[in-house]
Amino acid sequence: MATGTVQSKPHESAVRRTIKNLRWWILGWALLAGIVNYMDRSAIAIAAPEMIKQLALTKTDIGLLGTVFSWVYAFSQLPAGWLIDKLGARRMYFIAIALWSVSTALMALGSKMWQFITFRALLGITEAPNSPASAKVTAEWFPRTERAQATAVWDSGSKWGPAIAPPILTAILLGFGWQAIFVFLGIIGLVLALGFFVFYRSPEEHRRLSAEEFKLIQRDRTERAVSPASASWFALFKHRQVWGLMAGFFCVIWIWNLFIVFLPLYLQQARGVSIANTGFLAAVPYLVAAVMGLIGGYIITRYSRRPGTSPLAAKRHVMVAASIASGVLVCLVPFISDLTLSMVVLSIAMGCIATMTSAAWAMPGDIVDTRQVASLGAIMNFGGYFGGAFSPLIAGVIADATGSYTPSFVLGGVIAALAAVAYIGLVRHPIGAERKPEVVEA
């Protein structure tokens, strides 16, 4: 039997005016954090050609830097999600943004491979709270029926960031050198961290939130009737839904990591695009992905409001279709000789992947209660990045050995399509919704 969560009503001052639809303005902080976060990750791809030329690095070295980040980022997810649920999104987000900005800026001081590995590892640790904290903010500020669309908004930062990064960072590269890229991003991040800490508050503490909107936010917030053992952090791993989220997100992150690390190099070396033109051309797939991700979130929201369709089922159905479509399209890209057509196909594939990432990050709020959203999201992200970490390293090794990116595209497409299997077979019900919890068989 589910019981309603008792929440205090926000204080309404006679002097301070409330802000209409404040929850959507609050979401802007998560969006900005995502944009800066992914600009930091994309920086290595923009700087790579000059780093290879000046420091005698190889494509395998660049791939290794991407893999080190992903592995450290993956393992850091586990404590990050737990800390967010314990300490709250405000404190953890501020600390994370400030520290990842410093870690990014340190790259400008590097000249040896071990230094770059150290700095990318630090970035992996400090960026770990980003997505789980955004999921926590969404769970606190939005009713369940709006979370898919809200998640699509903040998750679009992972597409706007890589879209904005190439033209801006390429201009900085050409004008001031590759080191200036990392200094610029470090300064931007520190400003964002300060702004977030000063202005962000939870719904219960925000003085500009109206009683009407507070009631809407709390409309369907309930605590699921789960036993203390099932509610513990370690016991989450007993449920097949958790393993389904991890496996599905692994398939998504594998292909996403490939493009984050190697798309500019692929365009320059396989397609003959100049460094200057790469700055704009590499942005196109991410711009399309950002828009399609938002559209996907809107479709899921509308679909979930149909009679007899749960929010979880709506997300699962859309994700299955998007995973199959993205897998087929990614496999086709290297076999299309025309640059324009290949970019169109790649952009649509990226859009399908963007729909999957936003839906995946909205799923934890459908599977567990609000208290464990960040923890489950972090576990999912751990699974995605632990396995997906191999993607850039393998792609770099293959490119150095064969001079081709085609095998990496085909492998990535197959893995992306396999996400459908995980979501169809394992992610079918919320934890605690069945009489007997679904447990992974030994």
Side-chain angles (χ1 to χ4, degrees), residues 152-212:
V153 171
W154 66 254
D155 183 66
S156 70
S158 63
K159 292 83 187 174
W160 293 120
I164 295 170
I168 294 177
L169 300 187
T170 299
I172 294 173
L173 170 71
L174 295 175
F176 304 98
W178 64 267
Q179 293 93 338
I181 290 175
F182 299 102
V183 174
F184 168 78
L185 291 173
I187 294 172
I188 293 295
L190 290 173
V191 172
L192 175 63
L194 180 61
F196 181 85
F197 187 77
V198 170
F199 293 106
Y200 179 82
R201 295 293 185 277
S202 67
E204 292 76 19
E205 298 173 337
H206 210 297
R207 299 179 65 188
R208 295 299 182 93
L209 178 65
S210 69
E212 180 183 6

Side-chain angles (χ1 to χ4, degrees), residues 49 55 102 132 180 283 309:
L55 304 175
V102 173
T309 303

Side-chain angles (χ1 to χ4, degrees), residues 339-368:
L339 176 61
T340 301
L341 181 58
S342 69
M343 290 303 294
V344 170
V345 173
L346 176 59
S347 298
I348 296 173
M350 294 280 279
C352 293
I353 296 167
T355 298
M356 294 171 66
T357 58
S358 61
W361 274 109
M363 277 186 166
D366 296 327
I367 294 173
V368 296

Side-chain angles (χ1 to χ4, degrees), residues 210-232:
S210 69
E212 180 183 6
E213 186 172 7
F214 183 76
K215 184 178 180 180
L216 171 66
I217 292 170
Q218 298 293 322
R219 180 177 62 197
D220 57 359
R221 182 175 295 183
T222 59
E223 303 295 342
R224 288 192 172 86
V226 289
S227 66
S230 295
S232 71

